[in-house]
Amino acid sequence: HLQSSALDQRAHELRIKLDELVSDELNDEHMGVETGTGSGGPQVHGSNRQADPAHPVQVAVLHMCTRKKLGRTMVFTIHRDLVGAHMYLRVVMHDPVAQHDSHLTLLHYTTQRLLDILRINRDMIEECTQVEPDSVKQDRQLLRSELGKLIVDHLYIVRVAENESNGEVLDEVELNEGEEVEYELRMRDIMDSSNASHLSAKKKLLDYDPQLPQENSLESGGSFQSALENRPARSAAPLPRSLLETKEEALLHKAEKDVCGRRVLVTFYNETSSEDILHFSHNMRVVVACAQTLTVLAVQDLHEDRLEVFCNRRNKRHLMSAARERDLANELWESLVLQHSGQMVTGISFGGLE
């Protein structure tokens, strides 16, 4: 038991060290993965070890599917493990004939890098604690399923050999009855942005028509409903009528502007709607409101399809990082132009975007 605990501790320390590697220490050919027998995971089942309260553990199943390998129908279960703030994607392959489990875990840095490449944020694959429309729940479950299938499609098994770094691939090998072979899970290079095209949520983004109205003015025509009708169907959530209806914790930047003697507030938020969370990895809302009454005058939602164009044209691609949201909001503010007729705000535009 002491030796087992020491090995567990050593594996835990190794995992932490790999997680702390910065991006420039990992090249494109390297993936931080952990493989082995059994189901793996952050918890040892049947163990009496106490959980670390500083690093709470949450485990969820994203997807289950089957694939034929060694002439057997293997069962794959894709788990999402949260250890404190670190997320891991773990695949467990069950061999029903040998009654044997094998696992492959993408470590925290690799998991985050994969999600970034696929343009998926963590909220997209998490269960939402708020009430959501059935269509949003279905989209969320579909994304989890497709991500799981994508990962499994990049897995293969090799024969374990002492003196070979690259063992014989066994996927298509048919074993005779009673014959057994020692094998382990491996993963082909999955770090390719073209894989995002296999996800339904990203296909919808590719099908998105940029010619649809983007400026949601609540003053042009004086109709709040007309602004809703101009929004794409996927963003049918109601717009805020007052700044009091917006979430202060989502606020990134706030400033004032003068429109022909009328003071307006311009605010930037890092969220739009629950539907957009499933369709986009970057969600930013710009709200223009009357400084005196706080009544919302215009709203515009921006996502990566337009934000990337904006950043590229200003040679500031690094602002697309999730850690630079406030800097991106400030950059947008500096280039913001309010369209207006007299004191009436009719739309929002940005220099270098339109």
Side-chain angles (χ1 to χ4, degrees):
H1 291 291
L2 291 176
Q3 184 178 5
S4 176
S5 297
L7 290 174
D8 288 343
Q9 181 63 27
R10 184 177 179 183
H12 177 67
E13 292 173 353
L14 176 61
R15 175 180 288 200
I16 291 176
K17 288 181 180 179
L18 285 171
D19 282 339
E20 291 175 347
L21 288 175
V22 295
S23 59
D24 57 0
E25 292 175 325
L26 291 172
N27 57 40
D28 291 339
E29 296 179 352
H30 179 81
M31 288 194 298
V33 299
E34 177 185 74
T35 62
T37 58
S39 59
Q43 293 174 311
V44 178
H45 299 287
S47 170
N48 293 321
R49 290 187 302 168
Q50 296 296 317
D52 183 357
H55 299 89
V57 173
Q58 298 180 33
V59 178
V61 174
L62 295 183
H63 183 62
M64 293 183 68
C65 62
T66 59
R67 293 288 189 277
K68 198 160 188 178
K69 298 181 185 295
L70 293 175
R72 305 168 180 175
T73 302
M74 305 293 194
V75 181
F76 291 85
T77 306
I78 296 85
H79 301 264
R80 185 275 292 136
D81 299 333
L82 281 180
V83 182
H86 287 187
M87 176 186 285
Y88 305 83
L89 291 176
R90 172 170 51 96
V91 184
V92 178
M93 183 184 77
H94 177 67
D95 185 334
V97 176
Q99 290 297 306
H100 171 79
D101 287 340
S102 303
H103 73 272
L104 182 145
T105 302
L106 298 182
L107 299 182
H108 170 67
Y109 170 79
T110 305
T111 294
Q112 190 56 55
R113 185 176 172 213
L114 174 62
L115 296 181
D116 288 344
I117 287 175
L118 297 179
R119 294 184 177 181
I120 297 174
N121 63 41
R122 288 169 60 154
D123 292 338
M124 292 180 176
I125 58 176
E126 292 292 351
E127 290 290 351
C128 183
T129 57
Q130 301 175 349
V131 178
E132 291 182 314
D134 289 340
S135 59
V136 176
K137 292 180 180 178
Q138 292 170 2
D139 285 347
R140 187 185 300 276
Q141 186 55 45
L142 178 60
L143 180 60
R144 289 157 63 113
S145 173
E146 291 178 337
L147 176 61
K149 290 177 182 177
L150 178 65
I151 291 173
V152 172
D153 286 344
H154 283 79
L155 297 178
Y156 63 101
I157 58 175
V158 298
R159 185 190 303 271
V160 174
E162 292 184 3
N163 299 322
E164 293 184 24
S165 58
N166 297 315
E168 175 192 358
V169 178
L170 300 175
D171 284 28
E172 305 300 327
V173 173
E174 296 270 349
L175 295 181
N176 298 323
E177 185 175 353
E179 182 183 1
E180 292 298 335
V181 61
E182 190 176 357
Y183 58 81
E184 66 178 23
L185 271 177
R186 297 279 181 86
M187 174 175 272
R188 299 182 181 89
D189 184 15
I190 196 174
M191 301 299 179
D192 186 343
S193 58
S194 65
N195 286 324
S197 63
H198 301 298
L199 305 176
S200 297
K202 300 308 168 184
K203 290 178 182 177
K204 291 180 181 179
L205 175 58
L206 293 174
D207 293 338
Y208 169 60
D209 185 358
Q211 299 304 316
L212 288 174
Q214 295 294 315
E215 286 71 41
N216 298 316
S217 171
L218 308 188
E219 292 199 312
S220 55
S223 171
F224 189 91
Q225 186 60 32
S226 65
L228 289 177
E229 292 171 352
N230 286 334
R231 306 181 78 198
R234 64 167 187 277
S235 299
L239 293 167
R241 295 174 181 266
S242 167
L243 278 187
L244 299 177
E245 298 176 9
T246 60
K247 293 183 179 180
E248 186 176 351
E249 60 270 22
L251 181 66
L252 295 174
H253 185 76
K254 179 173 67 175
E256 286 192 14
K257 210 170 185 68
D258 182 88
V259 179
C260 293
R262 181 186 191 182
R263 286 193 312 118
V264 298
L265 293 173
V266 182
T267 52
F268 296 78
Y269 301 88
N270 64 358
E271 67 176 30
T272 52
S273 67
S274 57
E275 291 90 346
D276 286 344
I277 289 176
L278 294 176
H279 295 289
F280 302 101
S281 60
H282 289 70
N283 299 288
M284 188 168 290
R285 170 166 288 177
V286 186
V287 178
V288 180
C290 175
Q292 184 174 1
T293 65
L294 300 185
T295 301
V296 172
L297 309 176
V299 178
Q300 182 175 147
D301 291 346
L302 299 170
H303 308 288
E304 62 262 29
D305 52 343
R306 304 185 74 209
L307 291 172
E308 284 186 348
V309 173
F310 175 80
C311 291
N312 287 338
R313 289 180 178 176
R314 298 175 75 88
N315 294 319
K316 294 188 177 181
R317 183 68 178 78
H318 62 283
L319 295 182
M320 290 300 293
S321 167
R324 304 297 295 273
E325 284 183 322
R326 293 186 183 277
D327 294 334
L328 176 56
N330 186 65
E331 194 74 21
L332 286 167
W333 158 249
E334 292 180 356
S335 64
L336 180 138
V337 177
L338 290 181
Q339 301 166 5
H340 62 94
S341 176
Q343 290 188 337
M344 179 182 292
V345 177
T346 59
I348 304 171
S349 60
F350 299 90
L353 185 57
E354 276 69 20

